[in-house]
């Protein structure tokens, strides 16, 4: 059984980016999006100056300063390797979103890093929240396994995070 990472958020966060479950590189290092070919940090660099050239804690700080929180839908699961497709469905245990949203009442939007995160949230979390949660939007996965879209196309889609109300 694999156990995910704790959320990275300030109390005043407005946006929550959700992955499904960290890949093996992230679990090994205890850092979100640690695989060197994952486009997440290059995209965050382009949008918020939180690129991979900065130390990890500084990247997180820049996201937090911009009202962005990071977490994953799945808290615990069984999986061989890093692919979402290899997660054993019956082993999935989700994070406590009721407590998270209570502690972060300013969250107004969810962004799913790929389809697996959105599917897991809608299947395993929404029923527990009685359907009440901030609106969500699926963005293209930043995983290197999602090669159907190039970096420029992913960056363009993810730029919605930098738009202000």
């Amino acid at each position: 059984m694999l156990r995910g990472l704790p959320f990275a958020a300030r109390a005043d966060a407005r946006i929550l980016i959700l992955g499904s479950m960290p890949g093996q590189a992230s679990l090994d290092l205890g850092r979100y999006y640690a695989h060197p070919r994952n486009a997440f940090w290059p995209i965050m660099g382009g949008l918020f100056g939180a690129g991979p050239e900065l130390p990890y804690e500084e990247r997180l700080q820049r996201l937090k300063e911009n009202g962005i929180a990071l977490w994953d839908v799945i808290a615990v699961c069984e999986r061989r390797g890093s692919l979402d497709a290899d997660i054993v469905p019956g082993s999935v245990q989700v994070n406590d979103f009721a407590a998270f949203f209570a502690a972060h009442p300013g969250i107004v939007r969810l962004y799913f890093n790929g389809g697996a995160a959105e599917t897991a949230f809608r299947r395993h979390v929404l029923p527990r929240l009685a359907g009440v949660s901030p609106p969500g939007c699926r963005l293209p996965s930043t995983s290197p396994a999602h090669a159907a879209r190039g970096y420029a196309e992913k960056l363009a889609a993810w730029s919605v995070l930098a738009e202000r109300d």
Side-chain angles (χ1 to χ4, degrees):
M1 295 295 277
L2 302 173
R3 182 165 301 281
L5 302 173
F7 62 78
R10 289 192 336 193
D12 63 348
R14 295 181 33 78
I15 292 171
L16 175 58
I17 298 173
L18 289 170
S20 53
M21 177 70 175
Q24 197 57 53
S26 292
L27 293 174
D28 289 347
L29 294 173
R31 297 179 176 181
Y32 282 99
Y33 305 104
H35 192 287
R37 289 191 356 245
N38 193 301
F40 183 81
W41 290 114
I43 289 170
M44 293 302 111
L47 298 176
F48 303 106
E53 69 281 355
L54 297 177
Y56 178 73
E57 291 302 323
E58 193 171 332
R59 287 181 258 161
L60 286 180
Q61 185 60 32
R62 293 223 179 153
L63 291 185
K64 291 175 184 179
E65 288 168 357
N66 282 281
I68 297 171
L70 300 178
W71 209 15
D72 290 295
V73 176
I74 300 171
V76 176
C77 72
E78 184 179 344
R79 178 189 67 203
R80 292 206 167 135
S82 292
L83 297 177
D84 289 333
D86 294 333
I87 294 172
V88 177
S91 71
V92 170
Q93 298 172 37
V94 296
N95 280 308
D96 185 351
F97 284 91
F100 181 85
F101 290 139
H104 300 87
I107 297 285
V108 295
R109 191 84 169 153
L110 307 178
Y111 290 95
F112 301 104
N113 190 344
E118 181 184 29
T119 299
F121 186 85
R122 295 197 187 290
R123 179 176 297 145
H124 300 290
V125 178
L126 269 185
R128 296 177 185 192
L129 297 176
V132 177
S133 79
C137 175
R138 179 194 310 183
L139 296 172
S141 174
T142 59
S143 168
H146 183 67
R149 293 187 180 187
Y151 174 79
E153 192 176 350
K154 289 179 182 183
L155 177 62
W158 280 81
S159 67
V160 69
L161 271 69
E163 297 172 3
R164 297 293 176 203
D165 299 334

PDB file of all heavy atoms in Angstrom, residues 72-87:
ATOM      1  N   ASP A  72      -3.757  15.593  -3.474  1.00  0.00           N
ATOM      2  CA  ASP A  72      -4.186  14.496  -4.330  1.00  0.00           C
ATOM      3  C   ASP A  72      -5.508  13.962  -3.818  1.00  0.00           C
ATOM      4  O   ASP A  72      -5.813  14.072  -2.635  1.00  0.00           O
ATOM      5  CB  ASP A  72      -3.141  13.374  -4.351  1.00  0.00           C
ATOM      6  CG  ASP A  72      -1.887  13.801  -5.085  1.00  0.00           C
ATOM      7  OD1 ASP A  72      -1.978  14.038  -6.304  1.00  0.00           O
ATOM      8  OD2 ASP A  72      -0.826  13.917  -4.445  1.00  0.00           O
ATOM      9  N   VAL A  73      -6.263  13.370  -4.708  1.00  0.00           N
ATOM     10  CA  VAL A  73      -7.544  12.788  -4.325  1.00  0.00           C
ATOM     11  C   VAL A  73      -7.322  11.561  -3.454  1.00  0.00           C
ATOM     12  O   VAL A  73      -7.950  11.401  -2.412  1.00  0.00           O
ATOM     13  CB  VAL A  73      -8.377  12.420  -5.577  1.00  0.00           C
ATOM     14  CG1 VAL A  73      -9.670  11.719  -5.176  1.00  0.00           C
ATOM     15  CG2 VAL A  73      -8.662  13.658  -6.416  1.00  0.00           C
ATOM     16  N   ILE A  74      -6.406  10.716  -3.860  1.00  0.00           N
ATOM     17  CA  ILE A  74      -6.190   9.429  -3.188  1.00  0.00           C
ATOM     18  C   ILE A  74      -5.162   9.578  -2.072  1.00  0.00           C
ATOM     19  O   ILE A  74      -4.066  10.085  -2.286  1.00  0.00           O
ATOM     20  CB  ILE A  74      -5.752   8.361  -4.209  1.00  0.00           C
ATOM     21  CG1 ILE A  74      -6.828   8.192  -5.285  1.00  0.00           C
ATOM     22  CG2 ILE A  74      -5.441   7.032  -3.516  1.00  0.00           C
ATOM     23  CD1 ILE A  74      -6.406   7.330  -6.468  1.00  0.00           C
ATOM     24  N   ALA A  75      -5.523   9.119  -0.900  1.00  0.00           N
ATOM     25  CA  ALA A  75      -4.621   9.140   0.251  1.00  0.00           C
ATOM     26  C   ALA A  75      -3.783   7.870   0.314  1.00  0.00           C
ATOM     27  O   ALA A  75      -2.591   7.911   0.616  1.00  0.00           O
ATOM     28  CB  ALA A  75      -5.411   9.288   1.545  1.00  0.00           C
ATOM     29  N   VAL A  76      -4.424   6.727   0.038  1.00  0.00           N
ATOM     30  CA  VAL A  76      -3.784   5.419   0.140  1.00  0.00           C
ATOM     31  C   VAL A  76      -4.312   4.548  -0.992  1.00  0.00           C
ATOM     32  O   VAL A  76      -5.512   4.581  -1.298  1.00  0.00           O
ATOM     33  CB  VAL A  76      -4.111   4.742   1.501  1.00  0.00           C
ATOM     34  CG1 VAL A  76      -3.526   3.338   1.575  1.00  0.00           C
ATOM     35  CG2 VAL A  76      -3.622   5.597   2.658  1.00  0.00           C
ATOM     36  N   CYS A  77      -3.415   3.773  -1.589  1.00  0.00           N
ATOM     37  CA  CYS A  77      -3.841   2.802  -2.602  1.00  0.00           C
ATOM     38  C   CYS A  77      -2.735   1.784  -2.841  1.00  0.00           C
ATOM     39  O   CYS A  77      -1.609   1.961  -2.384  1.00  0.00           O
ATOM     40  CB  CYS A  77      -4.209   3.484  -3.920  1.00  0.00           C
ATOM     41  SG  CYS A  77      -2.801   4.116  -4.848  1.00  0.00           S
ATOM     42  N   GLU A  78      -3.107   0.762  -3.548  1.00  0.00           N
ATOM     43  CA  GLU A  78      -2.141  -0.233  -4.000  1.00  0.00           C
ATOM     44  C   GLU A  78      -1.885   0.035  -5.478  1.00  0.00           C
ATOM     45  O   GLU A  78      -2.816   0.210  -6.262  1.00  0.00           O
ATOM     46  CB  GLU A  78      -2.707  -1.636  -3.809  1.00  0.00           C
ATOM     47  CG  GLU A  78      -1.739  -2.734  -4.171  1.00  0.00           C
ATOM     48  CD  GLU A  78      -2.344  -4.114  -3.949  1.00  0.00           C
ATOM     49  OE1 GLU A  78      -3.367  -4.223  -3.240  1.00  0.00           O
ATOM     50  OE2 GLU A  78      -1.806  -5.076  -4.518  1.00  0.00           O
ATOM     51  N   ARG A  79      -0.601   0.095  -5.857  1.00  0.00           N
ATOM     52  CA  ARG A  79      -0.241   0.362  -7.242  1.00  0.00           C
ATOM     53  C   ARG A  79       1.187  -0.106  -7.472  1.00  0.00           C
ATOM     54  O   ARG A  79       2.061   0.140  -6.656  1.00  0.00           O
ATOM     55  CB  ARG A  79      -0.339   1.865  -7.539  1.00  0.00           C
ATOM     56  CG  ARG A  79       0.076   2.235  -8.958  1.00  0.00           C
ATOM     57  CD  ARG A  79       0.176   3.733  -9.149  1.00  0.00           C
ATOM     58  NE  ARG A  79       1.289   4.242  -8.355  1.00  0.00           N
ATOM     59  CZ  ARG A  79       1.399   5.496  -7.949  1.00  0.00           C
ATOM     60  NH1 ARG A  79       0.493   6.380  -8.253  1.00  0.00           N
ATOM     61  NH2 ARG A  79       2.433   5.878  -7.232  1.00  0.00           N
ATOM     62  N   ARG A  80       1.406  -0.756  -8.584  1.00  0.00           N
ATOM     63  CA  ARG A  80       2.764  -1.110  -9.001  1.00  0.00           C
ATOM     64  C   ARG A  80       3.188  -0.092 -10.033  1.00  0.00           C
ATOM     65  O   ARG A  80       2.474   0.137 -11.005  1.00  0.00           O
ATOM     66  CB  ARG A  80       2.805  -2.496  -9.602  1.00  0.00           C
ATOM     67  CG  ARG A  80       2.544  -3.545  -8.574  1.00  0.00           C
ATOM     68  CD  ARG A  80       3.171  -4.854  -8.942  1.00  0.00           C
ATOM     69  NE  ARG A  80       3.138  -5.689  -7.755  1.00  0.00           N
ATOM     70  CZ  ARG A  80       2.768  -6.942  -7.752  1.00  0.00           C
ATOM     71  NH1 ARG A  80       2.419  -7.527  -8.866  1.00  0.00           N
ATOM     72  NH2 ARG A  80       2.759  -7.619  -6.634  1.00  0.00           N
ATOM     73  N   GLY A  81       4.320   0.559  -9.828  1.00  0.00           N
ATOM     74  CA  GLY A  81       4.774   1.588 -10.743  1.00  0.00           C
ATOM     75  C   GLY A  81       4.125   2.917 -10.431  1.00  0.00           C
ATOM     76  O   GLY A  81       3.701   3.182  -9.314  1.00  0.00           O
ATOM     77  N   SER A  82       4.032   3.763 -11.465  1.00  0.00           N
ATOM     78  CA  SER A  82       3.538   5.128 -11.261  1.00  0.00           C
ATOM     79  C   SER A  82       2.291   5.470 -12.048  1.00  0.00           C
ATOM     80  O   SER A  82       1.747   6.558 -11.897  1.00  0.00           O
ATOM     81  CB  SER A  82       4.643   6.127 -11.640  1.00  0.00           C
ATOM     82  OG  SER A  82       5.709   6.061 -10.724  1.00  0.00           O
ATOM     83  N   LEU A  83       1.827   4.564 -12.893  1.00  0.00           N
ATOM     84  CA  LEU A  83       0.692   4.882 -13.756  1.00  0.00           C
ATOM     85  C   LEU A  83      -0.634   4.801 -13.000  1.00  0.00           C
ATOM     86  O   LEU A  83      -0.866   3.875 -12.217  1.00  0.00           O
ATOM     87  CB  LEU A  83       0.650   3.943 -14.957  1.00  0.00           C
ATOM     88  CG  LEU A  83       1.842   4.003 -15.910  1.00  0.00           C
ATOM     89  CD1 LEU A  83       1.680   2.964 -17.011  1.00  0.00           C
ATOM     90  CD2 LEU A  83       1.994   5.394 -16.505  1.00  0.00           C
ATOM     91  N   ASP A  84      -1.513   5.763 -13.284  1.00  0.00           N
ATOM     92  CA  ASP A  84      -2.849   5.741 -12.687  1.00  0.00           C
ATOM     93  C   ASP A  84      -3.602   4.474 -13.065  1.00  0.00           C
ATOM     94  O   ASP A  84      -4.384   3.948 -12.266  1.00  0.00           O
ATOM     95  CB  ASP A  84      -3.659   6.963 -13.147  1.00  0.00           C
ATOM     96  CG  ASP A  84      -3.162   8.253 -12.530  1.00  0.00           C
ATOM     97  OD1 ASP A  84      -2.589   8.212 -11.419  1.00  0.00           O
ATOM     98  OD2 ASP A  84      -3.353   9.313 -13.154  1.00  0.00           O
ATOM     99  N   ALA A  85      -3.355   3.977 -14.258  1.00  0.00           N
ATOM    100  CA  ALA A  85      -4.042   2.772 -14.728  1.00  0.00           C
ATOM    101  C   ALA A  85      -3.695   1.550 -13.887  1.00  0.00           C
ATOM    102  O   ALA A  85      -4.438   0.565 -13.889  1.00  0.00           O
ATOM    103  CB  ALA A  85      -3.701   2.511 -16.192  1.00  0.00           C
ATOM    104  N   ASP A  86      -2.592   1.611 -13.150  1.00  0.00           N
ATOM    105  CA  ASP A  86      -2.159   0.473 -12.330  1.00  0.00           C
ATOM    106  C   ASP A  86      -2.678   0.523 -10.891  1.00  0.00           C
ATOM    107  O   ASP A  86      -2.366  -0.352 -10.083  1.00  0.00           O
ATOM    108  CB  ASP A  86      -0.636   0.375 -12.326  1.00  0.00           C
ATOM    109  CG  ASP A  86      -0.072   0.030 -13.693  1.00  0.00           C
ATOM    110  OD1 ASP A  86      -0.799  -0.619 -14.491  1.00  0.00           O
ATOM    111  OD2 ASP A  86       1.072   0.416 -13.981  1.00  0.00           O
ATOM    112  N   ILE A  87      -3.468   1.546 -10.561  1.00  0.00           N
ATOM    113  CA  ILE A  87      -4.048   1.627  -9.219  1.00  0.00           C
ATOM    114  C   ILE A  87      -5.114   0.545  -9.089  1.00  0.00           C
ATOM    115  O   ILE A  87      -5.976   0.407  -9.950  1.00  0.00           O
ATOM    116  CB  ILE A  87      -4.669   3.021  -8.958  1.00  0.00           C
ATOM    117  CG1 ILE A  87      -3.566   4.078  -8.930  1.00  0.00           C
ATOM    118  CG2 ILE A  87      -5.468   3.035  -7.656  1.00  0.00           C
ATOM    119  CD1 ILE A  87      -4.074   5.508  -8.870  1.00  0.00           C
TER     120      ILE A  87
END
